Amino acid sequence: MEKSAKIVILTGAGISAESGLGTFRDEGGLWAQHRIEDVATPEGFARNPDLVHGFYNARRVQAAKAQPNPAHRALARLQAEHTGEVVIITQNVDALHEAGGAAQVLHMHGTLAGALCAVCGHRWPAPLEMQTGQPCPACAAPAGRPDVVWFGEMPYFMEEIYAHLAEADLFAAIGTSGEVYPAAAFVDEAHLAGAHTVELNLEPSAAASRFGERRFGPASETVPAWVAELLGRP
Ligand code: APR
């Protein structure tokens, strides 16, 4: 691969599965345990904020105990050793990419580590467990919420993401089911930019046929092997 090639990577819950964090749509996944409309929509939060805080508090506690796996570390290695730009865009709200050594990760669905004021938009570091009516440190409104992008809300960094996709020489989607837009269409944007596209997933995603290359298996095995190949050294 060209030394200066720009690599754009999209990750989903599958890259954190082997770190013990649940995925959404696998057997017994988070959306089998909770109704999306109850815990991942603004309407659900307005209806029952305690339930929503409970859902994210449990995920925050679990994420705090999780360790990065070889897939997270391999992407950090790629960022450190590849001479061209390596951009990591994640749909995940955990901090395992950063814990694995990655830099400038674009969390398009927000982060468990962040709290947001629903009234004034102020952001602050979320406590491990948030309570309903948490006063905003800036405007004191009792409107603290997880800084996570819910269904029906605009994902973050979209302009920057499309600019990266337009310049991509190589686009990889890792551990994502390709079921949720706009992330599921990033492969099409990259393809339009002339990038080589590869999917690394446990099994074919809904978007598999739109990738030029597909590698199946657990991310902790497929991603380190893929990175070693890209760098031309084990
Ligand atoms: N290694 C690689 N891939 C895996 C592994 C693994 N160990 N385990 C599971 N996978 C794959 C599954 O095959 C599946 O295709 O990861 C994918 C996980 O898909 P989802 O559970 O749908 O997660 P994701 O694609 O990240 O969901 C996207 O949907 O609900 C919203 O906001 C939420 O960010 C999330 C978005």
Side-chain angles (χ1 to χ4, degrees):
M1 177 186 56
E2 271 291 298
K3 287 259 174 280
S4 58
K6 176 160 181 171
I7 305 174
V8 179
I9 296 163
L10 169 71
T11 65
I15 199 169
S16 297
E18 290 162 272
S19 296
L21 297 186
T23 60
F24 295 93
R25 294 173 183 82
D26 287 324
E27 189 71 27
L30 286 167
W31 296 150
Q33 304 160 43
H34 308 272
R35 285 164 20 109
I36 286 179
E37 51 275 29
D38 289 343
V39 296
T41 62
E43 297 77 13
F45 184 66
R47 201 168 43 241
N48 187 341
D50 287 350
L51 179 75
V52 175
H53 278 308
F55 175 64
Y56 286 97
N57 289 347
R59 292 180 67 197
R60 215 174 274 111
V61 167
Q62 200 197 22
K65 292 183 202 139
Q67 294 301 318
N69 66 55
H72 296 108
R73 281 195 283 277
L75 294 187
R77 177 192 174 198
L78 184 62
Q79 267 190 332
E81 297 183 21
H82 177 58
T83 42
E85 194 182 359
V86 179
V87 179
I88 298 175
I89 301 158
T90 188
Q91 301 170 92
N92 299 341
V93 292
D94 64 59
L96 293 178
H97 279 300
E98 293 84 349
Q104 288 106 23
V105 178
L106 294 173
H107 284 269
M108 63 180 288
H109 289 166
T111 62
L112 288 171
L116 167 70
C117 176
V119 167
C120 78
H122 177 66
R123 287 186 163 83
W124 69 95
L128 197 56
E129 303 203 328
M130 289 189 81
Q131 265 75 42
T132 300
Q134 192 118 28
C136 166
C139 77
R145 55 165 277 186
D147 189 10
V148 169
V149 177
W150 286 327
F151 284 90
E153 297 184 323
M154 264 305 281
Y156 295 151
F157 308 113
M158 291 311 294
E159 213 173 301
E160 188 178 343
I161 288 171
Y162 285 121
H164 286 309
L165 292 169
E167 296 170 346
D169 297 299
L170 170 61
F171 173 77
I174 303 173
T176 180
S177 60
E179 306 259 359
V180 176
Y181 286 80
F186 289 175
V187 57
D188 306 319
E189 297 295 325
H191 190 70
L192 282 175
H196 173 63
T197 57
V198 56
E199 168 173 275
L200 294 99
N201 213 53
L202 195 57
E203 61 206 11
S205 76
S209 62
R210 304 190 336 248
F211 284 83
E213 182 189 358
R214 288 164 289 277
R215 297 185 180 210
F216 299 130
S220 65
E221 290 167 22
T222 59
V223 180
W226 176 66
V227 166
E229 217 177 282
L230 288 176
L231 294 173
R233 51 184 179 280

